[in-house]
Amino acid sequence: MLGDKLTFNPIASVLKSETNPIKRKHVEHSTESKSLFLLANKNFEQQFSKLYFNRIAELKPPLLKKLNKLFPNTTHAKTMLELTHGVTYSVVGTLYKEMKLKPNILRDFTMEKTMGEDSSEYDTLENCVSETDFLILEDSSGSRCNVVFENRDSELNKTMTNQLISGIIVGAVGKIDSHGTFIATDFVFNDPAPQRPLKVKEESYIAVISGINCGDSGFDYLRTQLAFDFLGGLLGDFNVQSGIVSKITRVIVAGNSVAAPTDKSTKFDVRGSLRPKDLQSIVGFMNSVDSLLEGLASTIDVDILPGAHDPSNVTIPQQPIHPCMLPKSSNLSTCHLVTNPHIFKEDSADVYVSSGQTIEGIERYVTSSRLEVMENTLKWGHYAPSAPDTLKCYPFETGDPFIIKQTPHIYICGNSKKFETKLCEFDNVKVRLVAVPAFTMEPTIALVNIKTLECHPVHFNLNVCKD
């Protein structure tokens, strides 16, 4: 069994010979990422309205059934235009959050061209929440209505406004006032998506490392190599290798394998592509990462997700990193270049992994913590409700692949500021939430037991070398 935290340093650990490889445990594996997120044809001519329409079309029917069950004596309004003063209604729609500090290209253009002011401060804010934010509910016909709890200045209204985000499908119960504002008494979300039974017979682990950021000022090659040696079975004594490492069935590299450009205004051209000089530096960083991954993938299955810094498309779902960027490791059958997000099944455990953008696209516009945001997405029934409002995404025409159809047993978010985990239990589902830190910020990887859903951080310490 593992303790709460495992720490390795290169002197106290024992390096094992490559001629005596450990015996890996193998389990059944399948993925849903290809069918959901891999784009066969990329067409950006269509509008995003279809994405919103498909979202509400799929999530509205079960939400109506839940509203009718919880509030059988309440009148349901099909559109906002049916609301009359003094009558309690239930209505289903898409939330929109009006935010003064949210980045706005029209405002930026106006400030720069007509007023001569710099608008960059709005784009660099870590959090865009302000006291002037308010909610709007839009039904499927396009009718809109402002929504408040109790009154505009109440603490309940401020709390709910600060926790919610644009793009959520919600059922609201309340009355319309004389000013045309919907005074809500309840907000209702869909029940969590069904969860398949967890039937893992033997103990095994998946390991997650994120934010290697090769080329960043905080990148430490020795520390990174130490982590890869541990995962590859080259580090630790017999008890560590036989009790832990041999039971790791898959390693997830959750995005940002290379560093972000320090000055995007000079490194990118008008199309958003890297300039030739900086493209060469990215290639050099990718070669270093390729060497690390080649050694790891020669011992275990590795799933490599792109991140915001990696050579992939900006919009989600990010498409797999091209094999030419990882020529050595991608030739191995155990190296899997996958999409971001990534959904797979390890044994009977359903796992969802994001490199972080889907959560960051919410976190910046609410006051909730990272784990709270992750839990809320499960309650909202959608992995990326803020797309396409505050998160760039592909304009899907025939559906919304980010709707949660099966609640995962393990929910992983990469490139976090620190390691956090929580076992979330509600409405007959149990989910292990894991926020994996960027390795350059906190040299920690996560080990998740797919049988018990326990999660343990493994920290790599070099301080002993400095003494």
Side-chain angles (χ1 to χ4, degrees):
M1 295 296 292
L2 281 170
D4 291 337
K5 186 174 183 179
L6 190 63
T7 301
F8 277 94
N9 63 61
I11 293 181
S13 301
V14 180
L15 292 177
K16 292 296 181 179
S17 171
E18 295 183 9
T19 60
N20 186 26
I22 62 173
K23 294 182 180 180
R24 294 283 187 180
K25 180 179 176 60
H26 294 283
V27 299
E28 292 185 5
H29 173 84
S30 61
T31 178
E32 297 180 17
S33 300
K34 290 183 179 180
S35 59
L36 287 174
F37 303 131
L38 196 62
L39 303 175
N41 299 306
K42 302 179 182 67
N43 180 14
F44 289 88
E45 296 180 357
Q46 62 269 29
Q47 296 293 315
F48 286 105
S49 57
K50 291 186 178 180
L51 182 62
Y52 281 121
F53 177 81
N54 291 327
R55 185 181 303 176
I56 194 170
E58 185 168 342
L59 294 178
K60 182 177 180 179
L63 189 51
L64 282 176
K65 291 181 180 179
K66 186 174 182 179
L67 280 170
N68 292 332
K69 183 179 180 180
L70 294 176
F71 305 94
N73 299 322
T74 300
T75 303
H76 175 68
K78 294 182 179 179
T79 70
M80 298 294 181
L81 299 177
E82 296 180 7
L83 302 179
T84 56
H85 181 60
V87 180
T88 300
Y89 289 97
S90 64
V91 61
V92 175
T94 305
L95 273 185
Y96 175 75
K97 188 173 180 178
E98 181 63 40
M99 305 184 74
K100 176 184 177 180
L101 300 180
K102 184 174 71 174
N104 185 316
I105 190 171
L106 294 179
R107 177 193 61 206
D108 295 350
F109 180 82
T110 301
M111 291 178 65
E112 292 175 8
K113 298 298 181 182
T114 64
M115 302 172 64
E117 297 181 11
D118 184 12
S119 62
S120 59
E121 60 176 308
Y122 290 98
D123 298 326
T124 57
L125 288 173
E126 288 190 6
N127 193 279
C128 298
V129 174
S130 71
E131 294 184 354
T132 61
D133 299 342
F134 62 92
L135 299 173
I136 300 172
L137 190 64
E138 180 177 311
D139 60 36
S140 53
S141 70
S143 304
R144 289 181 145 202
C145 182
N146 289 0
V147 180
V148 300
F149 289 84
E150 296 178 352
N151 61 73
R152 181 74 178 267
D153 299 321
S154 70
E155 287 300 317
L156 177 60
N157 184 61
K158 292 179 181 178
T159 300
M160 294 298 293
T161 302
N162 290 342
Q163 292 178 351
L164 298 172
I165 194 70
S166 297
I168 303 170
I169 306 302
V170 63
V173 179
K175 298 179 180 180
I176 195 88
D177 68 5
S178 57
H179 301 288
T181 299
F182 191 85
I183 310 299
T185 57
D186 285 284
F187 262 11
V188 179
F189 305 105
N190 270 311
D191 292 328
Q195 187 178 57
R196 286 186 277 250
L198 187 63
K199 298 180 179 179
V200 180
K201 295 181 179 180
E202 297 183 11
E203 192 174 72
S204 57
Y205 296 88
I206 58 172
V208 189
I209 184 171
S210 180
I212 299 170
N213 286 313
C214 182
D216 184 77
S217 58
F219 175 73
D220 188 317
Y221 187 85
L222 178 58
R223 200 190 298 266
T224 307
Q225 184 67 62
L226 194 66
F228 275 70
D229 284 346
F230 168 76
L231 294 170
L234 302 176
L235 187 67
D237 58 21
F238 175 79
N239 291 331
V240 170
Q241 291 201 355
S242 61
I244 303 173
V245 180
S246 64
K247 296 178 181 179
I248 299 175
T249 61
R250 187 168 298 271
V251 176
I252 310 299
V253 181
N256 289 359
S257 296
V258 295
T262 54
D263 186 357
K264 295 183 179 181
S265 62
T266 60
K267 288 182 179 288
F268 290 90
D269 60 22
V270 293
R271 300 169 299 171
S273 301
L274 279 168
R275 300 183 191 279
K277 179 181 177 181
D278 299 292
L279 186 59
Q280 291 177 4
S281 65
I282 289 291
V283 172
F285 298 150
M286 290 300 295
N287 286 336
S288 299
V289 173
D290 191 22
S291 298
L292 289 168
L293 292 172
E294 182 187 24
L296 181 60
S298 64
T299 66
I300 191 172
D301 282 288
V302 183
D303 291 355
I304 304 167
L305 284 72
H309 305 168
D310 297 322
S312 180
N313 55 298
V314 176
T315 56
I316 64 162
Q318 284 186 287
Q319 299 304 284
I321 296 173
H322 197 280
C324 72
M325 300 301 294
L326 299 168
K328 293 183 288 187
S329 55
S330 62
N331 278 330
L332 300 173
S333 61
T334 49
C335 180
H336 313 282
L337 303 178
V338 299
T339 61
N340 171 37
H342 179 39
I343 298 177
F344 64 94
K345 190 174 182 180
E346 194 79 353
D347 203 324
S348 64
D350 290 308
V351 184
Y352 171 88
V353 187
S354 164
S355 293
Q357 296 99 310
T358 54
I359 300 301
E360 290 172 6
I362 301 172
E363 199 173 29
R364 190 182 178 193
Y365 304 97
V366 296
T367 55
S368 307
S369 67
R370 175 149 296 202
L371 289 183
E372 288 172 340
V373 170
M374 294 170 69
E375 183 175 349
N376 284 338
T377 58
L378 296 174
K379 295 178 179 179
W380 299 334
H382 202 281
Y383 286 123
S386 62
D389 181 48
T390 59
L391 179 64
K392 300 180 180 69
C393 79
Y394 180 76
F396 291 94
E397 281 191 289
T398 57
D400 186 345
F402 303 108
I403 293 175
I404 303 175
K405 296 180 173 62
Q406 288 285 339
T407 298
H409 299 99
I410 303 168
Y411 185 171
I412 298 168
C413 176
N415 295 291
S416 303
K417 293 181 180 179
K418 61 181 179 179
F419 173 83
E420 295 179 286
T421 185
K422 175 185 177 181
L423 186 62
C424 179
E425 298 183 67
F426 58 92
D427 296 340
N428 300 318
V429 299
K430 182 187 292 186
V431 185
R432 169 58 67 179
L433 307 178
V434 187
V436 182
F439 199 78
T440 48
M441 295 184 68
E442 182 181 325
T444 300
I445 66 174
L447 295 182
V448 187
N449 189 319
I450 64 174
K451 179 181 180 181
T452 65
L453 299 185
E454 294 177 347
C455 181
H456 310 274
V458 182
H459 182 75
F460 296 88
N461 184 15
L462 291 182
N463 291 336
V464 68
C465 297
K466 299 175 182 179
D467 294 339

PDB file of all heavy atoms in Angstrom, residues 192-196 198 350 378 407-411 422-433 451-454:
ATOM      1  N   PRO A 192     -26.774  13.630 -12.531  1.00  0.00           N
ATOM      2  CA  PRO A 192     -25.507  13.184 -13.137  1.00  0.00           C
ATOM      3  C   PRO A 192     -25.737  12.072 -14.144  1.00  0.00           C
ATOM      4  O   PRO A 192     -26.660  11.261 -14.002  1.00  0.00           O
ATOM      5  CB  PRO A 192     -24.697  12.683 -11.934  1.00  0.00           C
ATOM      6  CG  PRO A 192     -25.286  13.378 -10.758  1.00  0.00           C
ATOM      7  CD  PRO A 192     -26.757  13.540 -11.065  1.00  0.00           C
ATOM      8  N   ALA A 193     -24.925  12.055 -15.177  1.00  0.00           N
ATOM      9  CA  ALA A 193     -25.016  10.989 -16.179  1.00  0.00           C
ATOM     10  C   ALA A 193     -24.793   9.636 -15.507  1.00  0.00           C
ATOM     11  O   ALA A 193     -24.111   9.543 -14.478  1.00  0.00           O
ATOM     12  CB  ALA A 193     -23.983  11.215 -17.272  1.00  0.00           C
ATOM     13  N   PRO A 194     -25.367   8.574 -16.054  1.00  0.00           N
ATOM     14  CA  PRO A 194     -25.182   7.249 -15.434  1.00  0.00           C
ATOM     15  C   PRO A 194     -23.717   6.854 -15.372  1.00  0.00           C
ATOM     16  O   PRO A 194     -22.903   7.279 -16.194  1.00  0.00           O
ATOM     17  CB  PRO A 194     -25.987   6.321 -16.349  1.00  0.00           C
ATOM     18  CG  PRO A 194     -26.116   7.060 -17.647  1.00  0.00           C
ATOM     19  CD  PRO A 194     -26.167   8.506 -17.282  1.00  0.00           C
ATOM     20  N   GLN A 195     -23.397   6.043 -14.392  1.00  0.00           N
ATOM     21  CA  GLN A 195     -22.025   5.585 -14.203  1.00  0.00           C
ATOM     22  C   GLN A 195     -21.984   4.065 -14.258  1.00  0.00           C
ATOM     23  O   GLN A 195     -22.746   3.383 -13.574  1.00  0.00           O
ATOM     24  CB  GLN A 195     -21.473   6.077 -12.859  1.00  0.00           C
ATOM     25  CG  GLN A 195     -20.003   5.800 -12.632  1.00  0.00           C
ATOM     26  CD  GLN A 195     -19.519   6.367 -11.306  1.00  0.00           C
ATOM     27  OE1 GLN A 195     -20.049   6.050 -10.253  1.00  0.00           O
ATOM     28  NE2 GLN A 195     -18.498   7.226 -11.360  1.00  0.00           N
ATOM     29  N   ARG A 196     -21.096   3.545 -15.091  1.00  0.00           N
ATOM     30  CA  ARG A 196     -20.969   2.095 -15.194  1.00  0.00           C
ATOM     31  C   ARG A 196     -20.377   1.519 -13.913  1.00  0.00           C
ATOM     32  O   ARG A 196     -19.590   2.183 -13.238  1.00  0.00           O
ATOM     33  CB  ARG A 196     -20.097   1.723 -16.396  1.00  0.00           C
ATOM     34  CG  ARG A 196     -20.792   1.916 -17.738  1.00  0.00           C
ATOM     35  CD  ARG A 196     -19.935   1.393 -18.871  1.00  0.00           C
ATOM     36  NE  ARG A 196     -18.936   2.363 -19.286  1.00  0.00           N
ATOM     37  CZ  ARG A 196     -18.952   3.019 -20.441  1.00  0.00           C
ATOM     38  NH1 ARG A 196     -19.931   2.824 -21.296  1.00  0.00           N
ATOM     39  NH2 ARG A 196     -17.990   3.870 -20.748  1.00  0.00           N
ATOM     40  N   LEU A 198     -18.001  -0.296 -11.327  1.00  0.00           N
ATOM     41  CA  LEU A 198     -16.552  -0.478 -11.257  1.00  0.00           C
ATOM     42  C   LEU A 198     -16.272  -1.905 -10.790  1.00  0.00           C
ATOM     43  O   LEU A 198     -16.552  -2.258  -9.646  1.00  0.00           O
ATOM     44  CB  LEU A 198     -15.941   0.543 -10.296  1.00  0.00           C
ATOM     45  CG  LEU A 198     -14.422   0.614 -10.209  1.00  0.00           C
ATOM     46  CD1 LEU A 198     -13.819   1.034 -11.545  1.00  0.00           C
ATOM     47  CD2 LEU A 198     -13.989   1.592  -9.116  1.00  0.00           C
ATOM     48  N   ASP A 350     -13.799   4.124 -16.015  1.00  0.00           N
ATOM     49  CA  ASP A 350     -13.903   5.192 -17.010  1.00  0.00           C
ATOM     50  C   ASP A 350     -13.089   6.392 -16.543  1.00  0.00           C
ATOM     51  O   ASP A 350     -13.239   6.865 -15.409  1.00  0.00           O
ATOM     52  CB  ASP A 350     -15.359   5.600 -17.210  1.00  0.00           C
ATOM     53  CG  ASP A 350     -16.172   4.521 -17.907  1.00  0.00           C
ATOM     54  OD1 ASP A 350     -15.737   4.065 -18.977  1.00  0.00           O
ATOM     55  OD2 ASP A 350     -17.224   4.130 -17.373  1.00  0.00           O
ATOM     56  N   LEU A 378     -19.568  18.167 -13.421  1.00  0.00           N
ATOM     57  CA  LEU A 378     -20.316  16.905 -13.330  1.00  0.00           C
ATOM     58  C   LEU A 378     -21.784  17.177 -13.033  1.00  0.00           C
ATOM     59  O   LEU A 378     -22.674  16.520 -13.592  1.00  0.00           O
ATOM     60  CB  LEU A 378     -19.712  16.017 -12.246  1.00  0.00           C
ATOM     61  CG  LEU A 378     -18.282  15.522 -12.464  1.00  0.00           C
ATOM     62  CD1 LEU A 378     -17.779  14.787 -11.232  1.00  0.00           C
ATOM     63  CD2 LEU A 378     -18.197  14.616 -13.689  1.00  0.00           C
ATOM     64  N   THR A 407     -20.764   9.227 -16.530  1.00  0.00           N
ATOM     65  CA  THR A 407     -19.956   9.835 -15.480  1.00  0.00           C
ATOM     66  C   THR A 407     -18.690   9.018 -15.272  1.00  0.00           C
ATOM     67  O   THR A 407     -18.762   7.812 -15.048  1.00  0.00           O
ATOM     68  CB  THR A 407     -20.743   9.913 -14.158  1.00  0.00           C
ATOM     69  OG1 THR A 407     -21.892  10.742 -14.338  1.00  0.00           O
ATOM     70  CG2 THR A 407     -19.876  10.494 -13.048  1.00  0.00           C
ATOM     71  N   PRO A 408     -17.520   9.642 -15.351  1.00  0.00           N
ATOM     72  CA  PRO A 408     -16.270   8.880 -15.188  1.00  0.00           C
ATOM     73  C   PRO A 408     -16.044   8.486 -13.731  1.00  0.00           C
ATOM     74  O   PRO A 408     -16.575   9.113 -12.810  1.00  0.00           O
ATOM     75  CB  PRO A 408     -15.202   9.874 -15.664  1.00  0.00           C
ATOM     76  CG  PRO A 408     -15.792  11.216 -15.345  1.00  0.00           C
ATOM     77  CD  PRO A 408     -17.279  11.079 -15.571  1.00  0.00           C
ATOM     78  N   HIS A 409     -15.240   7.463 -13.540  1.00  0.00           N
ATOM     79  CA  HIS A 409     -14.821   7.103 -12.187  1.00  0.00           C
ATOM     80  C   HIS A 409     -13.636   7.961 -11.748  1.00  0.00           C
ATOM     81  O   HIS A 409     -13.462   8.228 -10.560  1.00  0.00           O
ATOM     82  CB  HIS A 409     -14.423   5.625 -12.128  1.00  0.00           C
ATOM     83  CG  HIS A 409     -15.526   4.681 -12.487  1.00  0.00           C
ATOM     84  ND1 HIS A 409     -15.636   4.110 -13.738  1.00  0.00           N
ATOM     85  CD2 HIS A 409     -16.578   4.224 -11.767  1.00  0.00           C
ATOM     86  CE1 HIS A 409     -16.703   3.330 -13.772  1.00  0.00           C
ATOM     87  NE2 HIS A 409     -17.302   3.391 -12.597  1.00  0.00           N
ATOM     88  N   ILE A 410     -12.836   8.403 -12.732  1.00  0.00           N
ATOM     89  CA  ILE A 410     -11.649   9.210 -12.464  1.00  0.00           C
ATOM     90  C   ILE A 410     -11.675  10.424 -13.386  1.00  0.00           C
ATOM     91  O   ILE A 410     -11.821  10.281 -14.604  1.00  0.00           O
ATOM     92  CB  ILE A 410     -10.358   8.393 -12.672  1.00  0.00           C
ATOM     93  CG1 ILE A 410     -10.360   7.140 -11.784  1.00  0.00           C
ATOM     94  CG2 ILE A 410      -9.127   9.238 -12.404  1.00  0.00           C
ATOM     95  CD1 ILE A 410      -9.270   6.143 -12.126  1.00  0.00           C
ATOM     96  N   TYR A 411     -11.536  11.601 -12.808  1.00  0.00           N
ATOM     97  CA  TYR A 411     -11.618  12.867 -13.545  1.00  0.00           C
ATOM     98  C   TYR A 411     -10.327  13.631 -13.257  1.00  0.00           C
ATOM     99  O   TYR A 411     -10.071  14.053 -12.136  1.00  0.00           O
ATOM    100  CB  TYR A 411     -12.849  13.628 -13.048  1.00  0.00           C
ATOM    101  CG  TYR A 411     -13.209  14.910 -13.757  1.00  0.00           C
ATOM    102  CD1 TYR A 411     -14.414  15.548 -13.469  1.00  0.00           C
ATOM    103  CD2 TYR A 411     -12.377  15.509 -14.704  1.00  0.00           C
ATOM    104  CE1 TYR A 411     -14.788  16.733 -14.097  1.00  0.00           C
ATOM    105  CE2 TYR A 411     -12.736  16.674 -15.332  1.00  0.00           C
ATOM    106  CZ  TYR A 411     -13.944  17.284 -15.023  1.00  0.00           C
ATOM    107  OH  TYR A 411     -14.305  18.463 -15.657  1.00  0.00           O
ATOM    108  N   LYS A 422      -9.858  14.837  -4.472  1.00  0.00           N
ATOM    109  CA  LYS A 422     -11.079  14.718  -3.665  1.00  0.00           C
ATOM    110  C   LYS A 422     -11.913  13.567  -4.211  1.00  0.00           C
ATOM    111  O   LYS A 422     -12.016  13.392  -5.430  1.00  0.00           O
ATOM    112  CB  LYS A 422     -11.881  16.024  -3.730  1.00  0.00           C
ATOM    113  CG  LYS A 422     -13.231  15.972  -3.020  1.00  0.00           C
ATOM    114  CD  LYS A 422     -14.009  17.261  -3.236  1.00  0.00           C
ATOM    115  CE  LYS A 422     -15.384  17.196  -2.584  1.00  0.00           C
ATOM    116  NZ  LYS A 422     -16.164  18.444  -2.824  1.00  0.00           N
ATOM    117  N   LEU A 423     -12.483  12.783  -3.312  1.00  0.00           N
ATOM    118  CA  LEU A 423     -13.433  11.751  -3.713  1.00  0.00           C
ATOM    119  C   LEU A 423     -14.819  12.357  -3.624  1.00  0.00           C
ATOM    120  O   LEU A 423     -15.307  12.690  -2.544  1.00  0.00           O
ATOM    121  CB  LEU A 423     -13.325  10.520  -2.823  1.00  0.00           C
ATOM    122  CG  LEU A 423     -14.188   9.322  -3.260  1.00  0.00           C
ATOM    123  CD1 LEU A 423     -13.772   8.834  -4.646  1.00  0.00           C
ATOM    124  CD2 LEU A 423     -14.107   8.198  -2.240  1.00  0.00           C
ATOM    125  N   CYS A 424     -15.443  12.521  -4.770  1.00  0.00           N
ATOM    126  CA  CYS A 424     -16.738  13.198  -4.867  1.00  0.00           C
ATOM    127  C   CYS A 424     -17.850  12.152  -4.947  1.00  0.00           C
ATOM    128  O   CYS A 424     -17.849  11.300  -5.835  1.00  0.00           O
ATOM    129  CB  CYS A 424     -16.727  14.093  -6.106  1.00  0.00           C
ATOM    130  SG  CYS A 424     -18.243  14.965  -6.403  1.00  0.00           S
ATOM    131  N   GLU A 425     -18.801  12.234  -4.027  1.00  0.00           N
ATOM    132  CA  GLU A 425     -19.925  11.296  -4.001  1.00  0.00           C
ATOM    133  C   GLU A 425     -21.229  12.071  -3.933  1.00  0.00           C
ATOM    134  O   GLU A 425     -21.456  12.842  -3.004  1.00  0.00           O
ATOM    135  CB  GLU A 425     -19.815  10.355  -2.796  1.00  0.00           C
ATOM    136  CG  GLU A 425     -18.573   9.478  -2.788  1.00  0.00           C
ATOM    137  CD  GLU A 425     -18.542   8.520  -1.616  1.00  0.00           C
ATOM    138  OE1 GLU A 425     -19.388   7.611  -1.574  1.00  0.00           O
ATOM    139  OE2 GLU A 425     -17.674   8.692  -0.738  1.00  0.00           O
ATOM    140  N   PHE A 426     -22.092  11.864  -4.927  1.00  0.00           N
ATOM    141  CA  PHE A 426     -23.422  12.469  -4.914  1.00  0.00           C
ATOM    142  C   PHE A 426     -24.302  11.758  -5.930  1.00  0.00           C
ATOM    143  O   PHE A 426     -23.835  11.290  -6.972  1.00  0.00           O
ATOM    144  CB  PHE A 426     -23.363  13.973  -5.232  1.00  0.00           C
ATOM    145  CG  PHE A 426     -22.735  14.310  -6.557  1.00  0.00           C
ATOM    146  CD1 PHE A 426     -23.502  14.438  -7.702  1.00  0.00           C
ATOM    147  CD2 PHE A 426     -21.366  14.505  -6.666  1.00  0.00           C
ATOM    148  CE1 PHE A 426     -22.929  14.756  -8.922  1.00  0.00           C
ATOM    149  CE2 PHE A 426     -20.783  14.828  -7.870  1.00  0.00           C
ATOM    150  CZ  PHE A 426     -21.563  14.951  -9.006  1.00  0.00           C
ATOM    151  N   ASP A 427     -25.585  11.661  -5.591  1.00  0.00           N
ATOM    152  CA  ASP A 427     -26.588  11.089  -6.505  1.00  0.00           C
ATOM    153  C   ASP A 427     -26.138   9.754  -7.105  1.00  0.00           C
ATOM    154  O   ASP A 427     -26.182   9.543  -8.323  1.00  0.00           O
ATOM    155  CB  ASP A 427     -26.920  12.071  -7.630  1.00  0.00           C
ATOM    156  CG  ASP A 427     -27.563  13.346  -7.108  1.00  0.00           C
ATOM    157  OD1 ASP A 427     -28.090  13.306  -5.985  1.00  0.00           O
ATOM    158  OD2 ASP A 427     -27.530  14.365  -7.799  1.00  0.00           O
ATOM    159  N   ASN A 428     -25.675   8.847  -6.248  1.00  0.00           N
ATOM    160  CA  ASN A 428     -25.337   7.469  -6.656  1.00  0.00           C
ATOM    161  C   ASN A 428     -24.131   7.373  -7.590  1.00  0.00           C
ATOM    162  O   ASN A 428     -23.976   6.373  -8.289  1.00  0.00           O
ATOM    163  CB  ASN A 428     -26.551   6.789  -7.319  1.00  0.00           C
ATOM    164  CG  ASN A 428     -27.739   6.706  -6.378  1.00  0.00           C
ATOM    165  OD1 ASN A 428     -27.580   6.393  -5.200  1.00  0.00           O
ATOM    166  ND2 ASN A 428     -28.923   6.998  -6.900  1.00  0.00           N
ATOM    167  N   VAL A 429     -23.296   8.404  -7.634  1.00  0.00           N
ATOM    168  CA  VAL A 429     -22.060   8.309  -8.395  1.00  0.00           C
ATOM    169  C   VAL A 429     -20.890   8.619  -7.460  1.00  0.00           C
ATOM    170  O   VAL A 429     -21.026   9.357  -6.479  1.00  0.00           O
ATOM    171  CB  VAL A 429     -22.027   9.264  -9.612  1.00  0.00           C
ATOM    172  CG1 VAL A 429     -23.152   8.946 -10.576  1.00  0.00           C
ATOM    173  CG2 VAL A 429     -22.075  10.720  -9.180  1.00  0.00           C
ATOM    174  N   LYS A 430     -19.747   8.030  -7.776  1.00  0.00           N
ATOM    175  CA  LYS A 430     -18.522   8.251  -7.007  1.00  0.00           C
ATOM    176  C   LYS A 430     -17.399   8.537  -7.986  1.00  0.00           C
ATOM    177  O   LYS A 430     -17.109   7.715  -8.854  1.00  0.00           O
ATOM    178  CB  LYS A 430     -18.193   7.024  -6.154  1.00  0.00           C
ATOM    179  CG  LYS A 430     -16.953   7.191  -5.270  1.00  0.00           C
ATOM    180  CD  LYS A 430     -16.579   5.886  -4.583  1.00  0.00           C
ATOM    181  CE  LYS A 430     -17.624   5.478  -3.556  1.00  0.00           C
ATOM    182  NZ  LYS A 430     -17.161   4.272  -2.786  1.00  0.00           N
ATOM    183  N   VAL A 431     -16.777   9.709  -7.850  1.00  0.00           N
ATOM    184  CA  VAL A 431     -15.766  10.147  -8.807  1.00  0.00           C
ATOM    185  C   VAL A 431     -14.533  10.637  -8.054  1.00  0.00           C
ATOM    186  O   VAL A 431     -14.638  11.443  -7.121  1.00  0.00           O
ATOM    187  CB  VAL A 431     -16.296  11.280  -9.718  1.00  0.00           C
ATOM    188  CG1 VAL A 431     -15.259  11.634 -10.780  1.00  0.00           C
ATOM    189  CG2 VAL A 431     -17.617  10.895 -10.355  1.00  0.00           C
ATOM    190  N   ARG A 432     -13.377  10.172  -8.472  1.00  0.00           N
ATOM    191  CA  ARG A 432     -12.116  10.669  -7.936  1.00  0.00           C
ATOM    192  C   ARG A 432     -11.660  11.858  -8.764  1.00  0.00           C
ATOM    193  O   ARG A 432     -11.367  11.732  -9.954  1.00  0.00           O
ATOM    194  CB  ARG A 432     -11.051   9.582  -7.961  1.00  0.00           C
ATOM    195  CG  ARG A 432      -9.632  10.040  -7.674  1.00  0.00           C
ATOM    196  CD  ARG A 432      -9.469  10.714  -6.322  1.00  0.00           C
ATOM    197  NE  ARG A 432      -9.676   9.785  -5.216  1.00  0.00           N
ATOM    198  CZ  ARG A 432      -9.570  10.130  -3.937  1.00  0.00           C
ATOM    199  NH1 ARG A 432      -9.290  11.391  -3.611  1.00  0.00           N
ATOM    200  NH2 ARG A 432      -9.786   9.221  -2.977  1.00  0.00           N
ATOM    201  N   LEU A 433     -11.631  13.040  -8.160  1.00  0.00           N
ATOM    202  CA  LEU A 433     -11.156  14.251  -8.817  1.00  0.00           C
ATOM    203  C   LEU A 433      -9.670  14.416  -8.525  1.00  0.00           C
ATOM    204  O   LEU A 433      -9.242  14.298  -7.371  1.00  0.00           O
ATOM    205  CB  LEU A 433     -11.911  15.485  -8.313  1.00  0.00           C
ATOM    206  CG  LEU A 433     -13.440  15.452  -8.352  1.00  0.00           C
ATOM    207  CD1 LEU A 433     -14.012  16.740  -7.775  1.00  0.00           C
ATOM    208  CD2 LEU A 433     -13.948  15.226  -9.764  1.00  0.00           C
ATOM    209  N   LYS A 451      -8.807   0.471  -8.813  1.00  0.00           N
ATOM    210  CA  LYS A 451      -9.680  -0.441  -8.077  1.00  0.00           C
ATOM    211  C   LYS A 451     -10.355   0.273  -6.903  1.00  0.00           C
ATOM    212  O   LYS A 451     -11.579   0.177  -6.727  1.00  0.00           O
ATOM    213  CB  LYS A 451      -8.891  -1.639  -7.564  1.00  0.00           C
ATOM    214  CG  LYS A 451      -9.746  -2.635  -6.767  1.00  0.00           C
ATOM    215  CD  LYS A 451      -8.911  -3.808  -6.261  1.00  0.00           C
ATOM    216  CE  LYS A 451      -9.789  -4.786  -5.463  1.00  0.00           C
ATOM    217  NZ  LYS A 451      -8.995  -5.928  -4.939  1.00  0.00           N
ATOM    218  N   THR A 452      -9.562   1.005  -6.109  1.00  0.00           N
ATOM    219  CA  THR A 452     -10.091   1.666  -4.913  1.00  0.00           C
ATOM    220  C   THR A 452     -10.390   3.149  -5.120  1.00  0.00           C
ATOM    221  O   THR A 452     -11.001   3.783  -4.261  1.00  0.00           O
ATOM    222  CB  THR A 452      -9.088   1.532  -3.757  1.00  0.00           C
ATOM    223  OG1 THR A 452      -7.894   2.248  -4.086  1.00  0.00           O
ATOM    224  CG2 THR A 452      -8.746   0.063  -3.508  1.00  0.00           C
ATOM    225  N   LEU A 453      -9.919   3.716  -6.242  1.00  0.00           N
ATOM    226  CA  LEU A 453     -10.030   5.144  -6.550  1.00  0.00           C
ATOM    227  C   LEU A 453      -9.214   6.012  -5.587  1.00  0.00           C
ATOM    228  O   LEU A 453      -9.416   7.227  -5.519  1.00  0.00           O
ATOM    229  CB  LEU A 453     -11.495   5.608  -6.560  1.00  0.00           C
ATOM    230  CG  LEU A 453     -12.420   4.941  -7.580  1.00  0.00           C
ATOM    231  CD1 LEU A 453     -13.794   5.583  -7.558  1.00  0.00           C
ATOM    232  CD2 LEU A 453     -11.834   5.010  -8.986  1.00  0.00           C
ATOM    233  N   GLU A 454      -8.289   5.407  -4.862  1.00  0.00           N
ATOM    234  CA  GLU A 454      -7.379   6.194  -4.038  1.00  0.00           C
ATOM    235  C   GLU A 454      -6.350   6.877  -4.939  1.00  0.00           C
ATOM    236  O   GLU A 454      -5.999   6.367  -5.998  1.00  0.00           O
ATOM    237  CB  GLU A 454      -6.659   5.311  -3.022  1.00  0.00           C
ATOM    238  CG  GLU A 454      -7.581   4.706  -1.970  1.00  0.00           C
ATOM    239  CD  GLU A 454      -6.828   3.784  -1.028  1.00  0.00           C
ATOM    240  OE1 GLU A 454      -5.674   3.429  -1.339  1.00  0.00           O
ATOM    241  OE2 GLU A 454      -7.396   3.415   0.024  1.00  0.00           O
TER     242      GLU A 454
END
